[in-house]
Amino acid sequence: MRKSKRETEETRKRIVEMAADEFRQHGIATSGIADLMAAVGLTHGGFYRHFDSKEQLVAEATAAALDTLLDTLASAASGKKGRNALKAALAVYVCAEHRDNPRDGCPLAALGSELARSDKRVRDVATTGFSRMVEILRQSNSVRQLAQDAGPPQRVDKCHIMFTIFEGIASDSPPAVTEEQDK
């Protein structure tokens, strides 16, 4: 029995969402298509009805994970000004829950080295996500002031550096952090 267009789109979305979770949790290379499709309740052969290659799925899953993260950060900073906006976005990005749950975390922190070795389409998705993250930081008046103080040639570099620091903090998961230290 053939599926409707809507059912096919919903199935594809489920595959992309599961892949985004699995890739962040286990890595791209170690996440096999057969296991991923089984987790969604489909066969390995069904994968190719939706995607041309694993790289296509990686690109779409990375984009979906970045969209979710960036929406969350933008929402956290929304309606706040200056340092409060930056603090709100930072609090979401570097919180223990985000750090300790790579499945729901930042794909750039979880998959950075694998994304860098992926095909151009995947690297372009990651670069666009990085740029969008930098733009969210730039929206904060305190980050904007930092950039303006630096002058035009260094303006973008300050935001890039700041996001890179956030990414490093989010990917660092020391084993002996107590709940008290996280507060």
Side-chain angles (χ1 to χ4, degrees):
M1 182 174 168
R2 205 157 158 82
K3 288 185 174 184
S4 72
K5 199 173 207 170
R6 187 175 65 81
E7 289 173 315
T8 301
E9 288 171 7
E10 288 173 6
T11 299
R12 182 186 181 96
K13 183 178 178 189
R14 281 193 357 248
I15 296 167
V16 169
E17 288 172 354
M18 179 61 73
D21 292 351
E22 288 295 313
F23 293 156
R24 286 178 287 179
Q25 181 71 32
H26 302 291
I28 296 167
T30 58
S31 296
I33 296 301
D35 292 336
L36 177 64
M37 293 301 285
V40 180
L42 300 170
T43 65
H44 180 260
F47 174 82
Y48 295 100
R49 288 189 191 106
H50 298 277
F51 304 96
D52 293 332
S53 66
K54 184 176 180 180
E55 290 295 318
Q56 180 185 7
L57 176 60
V58 170
E60 290 185 31
T62 301
L66 283 164
D67 286 345
T68 299
L69 173 67
L70 295 171
D71 288 347
T72 300
L73 295 177
S75 177
S78 176
K80 296 173 180 69
K81 300 229 187 252
R83 290 182 190 260
N84 290 333
L86 182 60
K87 283 180 183 179
L90 227 172
V92 169
Y93 193 80
V94 300
C95 72
E97 182 180 347
H98 187 236
R99 179 200 65 214
D100 294 343
N101 296 300
R103 171 176 288 256
D104 298 321
C106 178
L108 300 178
L111 302 170
S113 63
E114 287 186 275
L115 294 173
R117 291 180 187 88
S118 293
D119 72 8
K120 181 179 178 348
R121 174 178 38 187
V122 173
R123 290 191 317 270
D124 287 348
V125 166
T127 300
T128 299
F130 179 88
S131 297
R132 289 174 55 207
M133 174 71 81
V134 168
E135 190 54 37
I136 289 170
L137 295 177
R138 192 176 288 130
Q139 297 299 318
S140 162
N141 289 336
S142 59
V143 174
R144 191 177 301 136
Q145 188 59 50
L146 260 176
Q148 288 171 348
D149 291 348
Q154 297 174 349
R155 200 166 279 161
V156 171
D157 290 344
K158 290 280 186 180
C159 291
H160 282 190
I161 289 167
M162 187 166 262
F163 173 70
T164 303
I165 291 168
F166 292 174
E167 186 177 309
I169 291 168
S171 64
D172 181 32
S173 47
V177 175
T178 66
E179 286 184 29
E180 189 62 34
Q181 288 172 312
D182 280 335
K183 291 179 183 175

